[in-house]
Structures are given as C-alpha cells and as structure tokens.
Amino acid sequence: MNWRLVAIPVTLIPIILIAIQFDIQPEDILAIGVFPFIGAIIAMMIKLVLQGVKFAYITKKYLGDTDSFLKLVGVRVGSEFIKFTTPMFIGAEFIVIYYLKKKGIELSRATWIALVDIVTEVLAAGILSMIAGIIALLNGAYVVGIVILATSISITTLWMVMFMLSSKHTFQVPNVLQLLIKKLAKQKGTKIVDQANDWMEETCTIIRENFRRPESKKIFAVSFLVSIVSWSFYGISFMIIAIGTGLIINPFDSIMAVMGANAIGNLPITIGGSGLAEFGIIAYLNNLNPFDFTITEGILGWDAVIGWRIATYYVPIAITWLLLVKLALSKIPKTENK
C-alpha cells in the first residue's frame, strides 16, 4: 500500500502543470464556492455508494447472508481506492475477491461476484462513453470522438467477450506461459500454474452454472441499471461544480463530457487518469484535440475542471482509503468465517 500513497502526490503533477500553463490561481478555485464543492462531493459519494449497493445486492442474491448489507457497501466503496491509484482504473475487483475469500467464500464464487459487478460497471460506462463519442463526431470533434470511441469500444468489448466466452469454454493458462513459468520458477512455478488452472476451471464452471439460473438475467439487468444511475451522478458532479464558476451546462451535456473524459482517462498512461481526464473534459466541451497542449488561456472552464477533479478524485481518495483499511483489509475473526 505504501507505493499507492506515494502515487497520490504524483497525480498532482498534471494539475499543477495545467494551473501554471493557464494561470489558474488558488483564489480561482476557491471562488467556485463551498456549496458547489460540497454538492459535487455528495454527487460523487452517491455514485460510489450506489456501486456499493450494487455489489451488496449481487452478493446477497448469490451468497445469501454472507455479511451485513452496509458492510458490503463499505467494502465496495473502499475498494475504489485501488482504482483511483492505478492506470486504467483497475484493481477494485481484487479487493472484493480478497474480502469474500477472507469471509470463507470459495475463490471461484467470489470471482463470479466480482465479475458481475465489474462487467455491469464496464458495460454501463462503455455505453455512455460511446454515446459521448458519437455526439463528439457529429459535432465535428473528430479526434476527440475517435479517441473516446476507440477506448470505450475496445475496453467494453474485451470485458464482454471474455465474460461470454467464460460461460462456454474453460480457460487455462496458455501453454507458452506455463512453460515459461515452470522454467523460471521450477517446482514453485508448477504449483502456481496448477493453482491458476484449477481456479480458472472452477470459475468457468461457476459462470456456466449461474448463467443457467433464471434469476441471473434479472440480477444482471438490475445491476446494469444501477450502474447507469451511478455513472450519471458522476457526470452531474461536473455540472454542480460548473454552476459555481458561472458555466452553464445541462445535466445531459455534463454526463456526456464526464463520460467522454472517463474514456480518455482509461488510457493506461497516467495514474488515475490524472491529466487525461481534465484535458478530456475541456476537449469534449470545446471540440479540441485532447493531446494538444497549445490550448489558449481563454478556454472554457479550466477552473471548473480543476475544482471538479479535486471534489471527485482527491476527496474520495481519502474516504475510500479509510474504508479500505477499516473494512476490506481488516482482520476477520474466525467466528465470522462461513
């Protein structure tokens, strides 16, 4: 975890560079006002809590009374700290798998819960981002639209194809990789490969079993709809911040701008999409190339973008870290294991 704490200050570098380049002073950010900041933070926390509610719903439906609903929500919210501090916003699924495994749940079943959670999340974000990309193209922002569509389509397709294929085929560690691991790690490598193959076989079996359950379609549909709503709150958070700067933007445009920026931020270039997400919003709202660092000083909404980033990224990092340490990574007494 120490390297992640070091990674957080690194994400400030693009923000500082943007502020210097476009002469954004602290008073410009403070001028946004307390209430817009609080409103944006609340919108972001609603987004995270809805993710937690979805995870708790999926877990309860498939595993029954494994844990209290509120604790499951807290664990899922805490897991977002990992996504905030990694490229491409990945890693939260490993925390929930780890937590469920600590609770005595079979690894394959814990993996299934995490898969339903992450796949519905990716699908919802992907669809919203694709709509944003199409709108960008229709408005002549060709570079922005292509980047958004290329990123969102590739990520969404990859997750959905792997998910669907897992319901029909049993995956194993590729032979070339098996040979390499066994050659490098000898006996330990053989053990690692065998364990990985067993886990993948059990997981694929669980996926096939749950695909056949009549209620799985309902669980997936409900989870997908909750994800759409949660991402919408994330999008609205920018509109709330923008109000404090006098920038007029409607809820739909705000959601599209944020989801377009989210797709660009998913490029595995910076930690937590730092810099990319900010330029993504400006690019979407102004029909510019998100990688053109010659943007003029008079550009629309830089103070709003930086304020939005602080409210929806840096404040939630502190909250999710506390929940991660207190809930997901805390020791569980043996009497709680089932």
Side-chain angles (χ1 to χ4, degrees):
M1 293 299 296
N2 290 337
W3 75 270
R4 295 189 186 282
L5 297 178
V6 173
I8 294 172
V10 174
T11 65
L12 288 169
I13 295 175
I15 302 291
I16 294 171
L17 292 176
I18 290 170
I20 294 173
Q21 175 68 26
F22 301 107
D23 194 27
I24 305 296
Q25 302 297 324
E27 53 265 30
D28 297 321
I29 306 302
L30 294 174
I32 293 172
V34 174
F35 291 112
F37 263 114
I38 293 176
I41 292 169
I42 290 173
M44 184 61 182
M45 292 313 300
I46 290 174
K47 188 262 187 188
L48 295 177
V49 169
L50 283 174
Q51 286 181 281
V53 168
K54 183 186 71 170
F55 170 69
Y57 165 77
I58 296 169
T59 304
K60 290 286 186 180
K61 283 293 183 180
Y62 283 113
L63 301 179
D65 294 326
T66 303
D67 209 341
S68 71
F69 194 89
L70 287 177
K71 192 166 186 179
L72 289 170
V73 171
V75 168
R76 181 62 182 88
V77 173
S79 71
E80 286 294 292
F81 176 80
I82 306 300
K83 289 175 66 176
F84 284 139
T85 54
T86 55
M88 285 188 71
F89 301 97
I90 60 174
E93 55 274 13
F94 298 113
I95 292 297
V96 299
I97 291 173
Y98 169 76
Y99 178 78
L100 291 175
K101 186 69 170 63
K102 284 201 306 180
K103 296 291 294 184
I105 305 302
E106 293 177 9
L107 182 58
S108 56
R109 292 188 181 279
T111 303
W112 164 253
I113 300 299
L115 280 174
V116 175
D117 181 33
I118 191 65
V119 167
T120 52
E121 197 76 11
V122 169
L123 181 60
I127 289 175
L128 290 173
S129 296
M130 288 175 208
I131 295 172
I134 292 171
I135 292 174
L137 287 178
L138 292 176
N139 283 280
Y142 299 115
V143 174
V144 176
I146 290 171
V147 172
I148 292 173
L149 286 173
T151 306
S152 55
I153 289 174
S154 59
I155 292 175
T156 304
T157 301
L158 176 63
W159 274 100
M160 294 307 298
V161 168
M162 292 299 294
F163 188 63
M164 297 305 295
L165 285 178
S166 297
S167 69
K168 300 180 181 298
H169 304 283
T170 298
F171 289 100
Q172 296 282 269
V173 178
N175 290 330
V176 175
L177 189 56
Q178 286 193 40
L179 292 173
L180 181 62
I181 293 173
K182 290 177 180 179
K183 184 175 181 179
L184 293 175
K186 307 300 181 182
Q187 187 174 352
K188 188 177 180 180
T190 300
K191 183 178 179 181
I192 291 172
V193 169
D194 290 342
Q195 288 177 338
N197 283 333
D198 288 343
W199 167 66
M200 294 170 74
E201 182 177 359
E202 291 172 3
T203 299
C204 289
T205 300
I206 290 293
I207 291 174
R208 282 193 289 273
E209 289 177 357
N210 284 301
F211 255 80
R212 298 189 185 102
R213 292 177 61 175
E215 64 267 37
S216 286
K217 290 182 179 179
K218 178 183 177 182
I219 294 171
F220 194 91
V222 170
S223 299
F224 171 74
L225 291 175
V226 173
S227 292
I228 289 287
V229 176
S230 72
W231 282 115
S232 297
F233 271 99
Y234 182 41
I236 290 172
S237 66
F238 180 70
M239 181 191 73
I240 297 172
I241 282 287
I243 290 173
T245 66
L247 174 64
I248 305 301
I249 180 171
N250 63 54
F252 180 75
D253 287 341
S254 181
I255 292 170
M256 290 297 98
V258 170
M259 294 313 299
N262 185 73
I264 293 174
N266 271 325
L267 293 170
I269 298 174
T270 63
I271 296 172
S274 182
L276 295 177
E278 290 84 351
F279 272 93
I281 285 188
I282 290 294
Y284 186 89
L285 292 176
N286 295 277
N287 296 344
L288 297 170
N289 181 342
F291 306 109
D292 180 5
F293 288 85
T294 62
I295 297 174
T296 60
E297 291 185 15
I299 204 69
L300 179 67
W302 271 120
D303 50 350
V305 171
I306 294 178
W308 169 76
R309 185 65 166 175
I310 293 170
T312 62
Y313 183 76
Y314 293 102
V315 173
I317 273 184
I319 297 171
T320 55
W321 180 79
L322 289 173
L323 289 172
L324 177 69
V325 173
K326 294 295 183 181
L327 296 177
L329 301 181
S330 62
K331 292 184 179 180
I332 298 177
K334 292 183 179 180
T335 53
E336 291 189 29
N337 292 334
K338 297 184 179 181

